[in-house]
Amino acid sequence: MPGDDDIESREGTVKRNSYNNDDDNNNNRSSVYASSSTYVIVDTDSQWTSWLVPMVVVANVSVFVVVMYVNNCSDHRHTRLAGNCVATFLGRFSFEPLRENPLFGPSSSTLNKLGALEWTKVVINHQGWRLITCIWLHAGIIHLLVNMLSLVFIGIRLEQQFGFVRVGIIYLLSGFGASVLSSLFNRNNISVGASGALFGLLGAMLSELITNWSIYTNKAAALFSLLIIIAINLAIGILPHVDNFAHIGGLITGFLLGFVLLCRPQFGSLERENLPAGTPFKSNYKPYQYALWLVSVVLLVVGLTVASVMLFRGENGNDHCRWCRYLTCVSTSRWDCNEN
């Protein structure tokens, strides 16, 4: 369980359209955002300085630059005319033709070469490292931009309240859980992006709200708003070319990690300071918090272990869950999921 932190407050708005995030500026500690998705907690003056999230953003941008350098669209003369590349004035950093990549980015072959998630390479070729490297790759500059904006608006707030260690663990493990579930159900396409890790942060926000319920103001509004945000983003995930299994895997992993890593004591340090000297201070975690912590640890260990074993044994998740394919794509008159 975490140490006895002072009760802190985080007031924020988190909205994501596929990965988009809208945030208002911080007001004073008792203010409430005039938004439908208000996330309000009690406040304290002490906060960690956020440096991990900015470093992750810089790392993702740097990796994208390297990917574009390696891609070198303007040099693909054996497969296409250089003039077909987008923004040719960028030289070897120019983007692939929009008919191949509408997100202004590299080719799928370049992403695959540099660590994209692909079932064949992970399972058959034993390249398990792709479960992590895919988190740092993005399909295009639009994909990168919306993911990094989401990370800034969600991650900085969490890091300020809980520190870089806990947020970093949630981010990486959620990304790993997203990759494992995606690989179990998605064998036909490659997958890249930090969206699974970002859904993990959203899931952690939800479980943190639940386990620290008594220190929140506007509890019902905060819970309802967060559930609506998650539901909307999962609904967007049924569109073609969106890997909703990664979103779901990251969300579940982050949700469980939130109970483990983001649990707060229910009383602040000011109450300890007011106790007479020498008075023993009883732990102020509630029994339900210990129970949620224990159950979440067990589910995390068992879930990730079983899913990983199934994956590397070459099992197909769709064989165990016939209807699960509808979680990531629903065929309509406008598109056929079998073609994506």
Side-chain angles (χ1 to χ4, degrees):
M1 298 287 286
D4 290 345
D5 305 347
D6 292 345
I7 296 180
E8 300 165 321
S9 98
R10 174 169 60 258
E11 301 167 2
T13 303
V14 182
K15 289 184 178 179
R16 294 181 27 182
N17 182 0
S18 190
Y19 314 108
N20 290 334
N21 229 303
D22 299 323
D23 195 17
D24 299 321
N25 293 326
N26 231 350
N27 297 322
N28 56 50
R29 80 173 57 171
S30 60
S31 64
V32 177
Y33 285 106
S35 168
S36 62
S37 54
T38 304
Y39 194 60
V40 184
I41 315 179
V42 202
D43 193 20
T44 188
D45 292 328
S46 62
Q47 289 187 333
W48 276 279
T49 299
S50 176
W51 61 268
L52 176 65
V53 169
M55 284 187 62
V56 171
V57 171
V58 170
N60 277 275
V61 172
S62 301
V63 168
F64 184 75
V65 171
V66 171
V67 170
M68 293 307 302
Y69 179 85
V70 173
N71 185 67
N72 194 10
C73 177
S74 61
D75 194 43
H76 295 337
R77 292 184 175 87
H78 60 285
T79 57
R80 62 178 69 88
L81 296 175
N84 288 338
C85 299
V86 177
T88 53
F89 63 89
L90 295 174
R92 68 183 298 145
F93 294 98
S94 57
F95 308 116
E96 292 294 309
L98 294 182
R99 66 178 179 274
E100 297 183 23
N101 188 342
L103 298 177
F104 297 95
S107 65
S108 58
S109 60
T110 299
L111 290 171
N112 207 357
K113 179 171 65 175
L114 294 180
L117 187 64
E118 185 188 16
W119 182 87
T120 301
K121 287 185 167 51
V122 171
V123 178
I124 305 301
N125 298 338
H126 307 291
Q127 297 178 3
W129 47 268
R130 289 177 178 267
L131 296 169
I132 298 298
T133 57
C134 67
I135 304 171
W136 305 91
L137 298 172
H138 287 84
I141 195 167
I142 296 176
H143 188 200
L144 175 70
L145 180 63
V146 295
N147 270 357
M148 293 304 99
L149 286 176
S150 300
L151 176 59
V152 166
F153 292 131
I154 300 175
I156 285 182
R157 243 175 239 294
L158 284 176
E159 186 180 355
Q160 287 174 340
Q161 296 301 316
F162 296 100
F164 72 93
V165 174
R166 283 181 274 186
V167 172
I169 291 174
I170 292 172
Y171 184 85
L172 291 176
L173 280 184
S174 296
F176 175 77
S179 297
V180 170
L181 193 66
S182 174
S183 297
L184 272 176
F185 287 92
N186 185 4
R187 292 192 173 194
N188 301 322
N189 302 299
I190 67 171
S191 180
V192 295
S195 58
L198 293 172
F199 264 85
L201 295 181
L202 275 178
M205 291 173 67
L206 178 59
S207 55
E208 192 261 332
L209 169 61
I210 295 171
T211 192
N212 302 319
W213 185 257
S214 64
I215 66 174
Y216 275 78
T217 61
N218 296 335
K219 300 175 176 63
L223 178 61
F224 179 76
S225 299
L226 196 49
L227 288 175
I228 290 296
I229 294 165
I230 293 172
I232 290 174
N233 283 280
L234 289 177
I236 292 171
I238 67 174
L239 296 174
H241 309 294
V242 180
D243 188 358
N244 218 20
F245 285 121
H247 297 171
I248 295 170
L251 179 69
I252 294 173
T253 306
F255 181 71
L256 294 175
L257 284 169
F259 288 122
V260 177
L261 297 176
L262 304 186
C263 185
R264 300 172 185 259
Q266 298 302 290
F267 303 100
S269 60
L270 289 179
E271 295 192 11
R272 278 180 286 177
E273 294 173 359
N274 293 330
L275 291 175
T279 302
F281 186 77
K282 186 178 180 180
S283 172
N284 44 26
Y285 289 103
K286 300 296 184 181
Y288 77 87
Q289 291 179 302
Y290 286 107
L292 288 172
W293 184 91
L294 180 60
V295 171
S296 297
V297 168
V298 173
L299 290 177
L300 268 173
V301 173
V302 173
L304 288 178
T305 300
V306 171
S308 299
V309 170
M310 289 178 61
L311 173 62
F312 286 103
R313 287 178 57 183
E315 297 188 33
N316 189 337
N318 295 288
D319 295 336
H320 301 276
C321 181
R322 298 289 184 179
W323 59 267
C324 284
R325 65 182 184 275
Y326 297 115
L327 294 175
T328 192
C329 187
V330 177
S331 296
T332 69
S333 59
R334 294 181 176 272
W335 64 73
D336 182 2
C337 294
N338 295 324
E339 296 178 357
N340 298 309

